[in-house]
Amino acid sequence: GIVSQGPQGFFCTLVPEPDHILCENDKVVVIAEDDIKSQLSEVDELKPIGPLRPPIQSTEKKLRNILILGWNRRVPLILNEFECYSRGKTTLTVLSRTPLEARLERQSHMGLDFKSVQVSHILGDYTSTTELKTYQPGSFDAIVLVASDWSDTDALTDARTILGYLVLMELLDKHRVSRPAILVELLDASNQDLFSQENCEVIVSPLIVSHFLSQVALRRELNTVFENLFCPEGAEVTIVPATSILGSTLTTSLEQVQEILFGQGGISLGFRIHEKRQIKTVLNPPRKQEFQLEINDKIIILFR
């Protein structure tokens, strides 16, 4: 991407058009292990532009029925993100012990009006096996366990989240047809090891915020890059099955994937590879390094 500076400050263009012309003071956005490796050398030779290819058609199922377990002051913002991203009917169900009046008041105070998504608030305790079973969690496309903010300490908050996760997994183990995608929010990074990467994704929200703050403190212009990445109108990181891009030929390199993506508004960032019951993310490998992907492996793409 490109970061430029105008009268209103920095602004970012991720995945610019192939004919985008750089200005003298523009900066290039790169992924690198450290500042030393991010230093760009002069390009000796420009590779000719290849022919445009038809757009990628993702075969993955769109998430349409989502269960949110728990409540905190950020949940209305999460609901609003789904509102902005929704391209069709999406149903969001929020199950929490927080009184319904307090939740609706919070939404109203923030001026949120949901039109593209259907939001249902339910009063209940997701740490109760009997109660959670009533709502058939296995029927949802995705389940999000958020860190409640009414506990006195982070340890108590994570303890409740972990208990809810164990109850949820006990119920899902009996639901053999398909398993929803699961996302867990934690406050203490030391609790991450309690979760199986095979079953869910874990986000330690304070840790992520600290990463952003430190990066922007060191490089002010990165703020506009993060805004572009995470706002609904900006570029979007997408993970697609390798077969949807490569077909049956799964021996590839990042360079070969990028040739396919050229002209489609996408940049290949790396791969999600299954290794010994674990999922390994490989970002920005050497562009010519070959990977023998499996049928369940995926490609990470940044689309404009």
Side-chain angles (χ1 to χ4, degrees), residues 220-247:
R220 176 187 162 202
E221 59 270 24
L222 281 177
N223 188 43
T224 185
V225 178
F226 292 143
E227 287 181 355
N228 192 298
L229 271 176
F230 294 107
C231 75
E233 296 81 14
E236 184 174 348
V237 177
T238 304
I239 301 177
V240 302
T243 53
S244 68
I245 297 178
L246 305 172

Side-chain angles (χ1 to χ4, degrees), residues 198-210:
E198 185 180 10
N199 294 327
C200 72
E201 295 292 336
V202 177
I203 287 180
V204 184
S205 49
L207 191 60
I208 290 180
V209 172
S210 67

